[in-house]
Amino acid sequence: MIILDIVVVLLILALAHQSIGFFSKGKSLKSRNDLKNLWYYHLIFGLAFMLYTSNFGGDALKYWSKYGFHLGNTLQDYLQGGEGTAFVHLLNYPFVHIMELSYFTGTVIYSFIGFLGVLFFYLSAVDLIKSNVKIYGINLFPAVFFLPNLHFWSAGVGKDTLSFFCIGIFLYSSMRLKTRFPGILLSLFLLYNIRPHMAVFLLVAFGLSALIDGKLKKGYKIAMSLSFAVAAVLLFDNVMSYVKLDEVSTESIE
């Protein structure tokens, strides 16, 4: 399967550049160059994460394994596994069980997914930040996007990378809800199946932000807030079950 690994890695490298070009249309040359540098920077941290987990262990190795976490090794096992770990195995199933790609290739795939999260956060910041701040002569933006900790935990195989991607695309999509609403649905679907409690937090946060947004019409505010509140309530019981809470109390939460 080495040839298939090479093909997938080359495809991902090409897809990363295509994604930068597609999503950064209308942005400055500096922004496009920043994103290209961030891609390779992010990929380096993905490889560092791979080396770290290969030597010291970690959940990533189990996520990219046919027999990880003792969940079984058939597609049916993962389909019946519900949210969380089983769903991540389900996402990885075609790559691990069918294509039999290496852990290195899996890291490159997840590095790309994490980079998309970085890209969406970066493009959102470009639209939101109206003035820059200098610290020791360095512009805070985009320097903050090169902080190592932002990349190390969002470039490896696992839930962190997928969650980071979901939050990034949710923010990016929420800025132009009418044209990017599919991004909202995608992020909530994935995040609910990866970490249900984070999906509820995202819904509540977005509903509250809509209420205090001075640019939205009153009727639109109310409709959006109610919609997200209803969705959060509908998901609440499943989330409680997922995090193994029987009741909402200080003792059970602790």
Side-chain angles (χ1 to χ4, degrees), residues 11-31:
L11 182 63
I12 292 296
L13 292 175
L15 193 57
H17 282 270
Q18 289 297 319
S19 299
I20 292 170
F22 178 79
F23 287 107
S24 63
K25 285 179 182 178
K27 305 301 181 185
S28 67
L29 178 62
K30 181 183 181 306
S31 292

Side-chain angles (χ1 to χ4, degrees), residues 188-227:
L188 288 175
F189 170 77
L190 288 175
L191 194 56
Y192 172 73
N193 282 286
I194 297 162
R195 284 179 171 151
H197 54 296
M198 289 184 66
V200 171
F201 292 152
L202 207 58
L203 283 168
V204 172
F206 187 78
L208 291 174
S209 67
L211 278 176
I212 61 176
D213 190 343
K215 297 180 182 179
L216 292 177
K217 294 180 180 178
K218 187 176 181 180
Y220 193 58
K221 283 184 182 183
I222 295 173
M224 282 183 61
S225 299
L226 284 176
S227 297

Side-chain angles (χ1 to χ4, degrees), residues 121-136:
F121 274 112
Y122 180 96
L123 293 176
S124 300
V126 168
D127 291 336
L128 290 170
I129 295 175
K130 304 304 179 184
S131 60
N132 219 332
V133 176
K134 283 193 175 183
I135 299 177
Y136 298 110

Side-chain angles (χ1 to χ4, degrees), residues 83-85 87-88 91 158-160 162-163 166 189-197 242:
E83 301 86 9
T85 299
F87 183 77
V88 178
L91 291 178
K159 295 178 185 177
D160 290 334
L162 295 171
S163 299
C166 290
F189 170 77
L190 288 175
L191 194 56
Y192 172 73
N193 282 286
I194 297 162
R195 284 179 171 151
H197 54 296
Y242 175 78

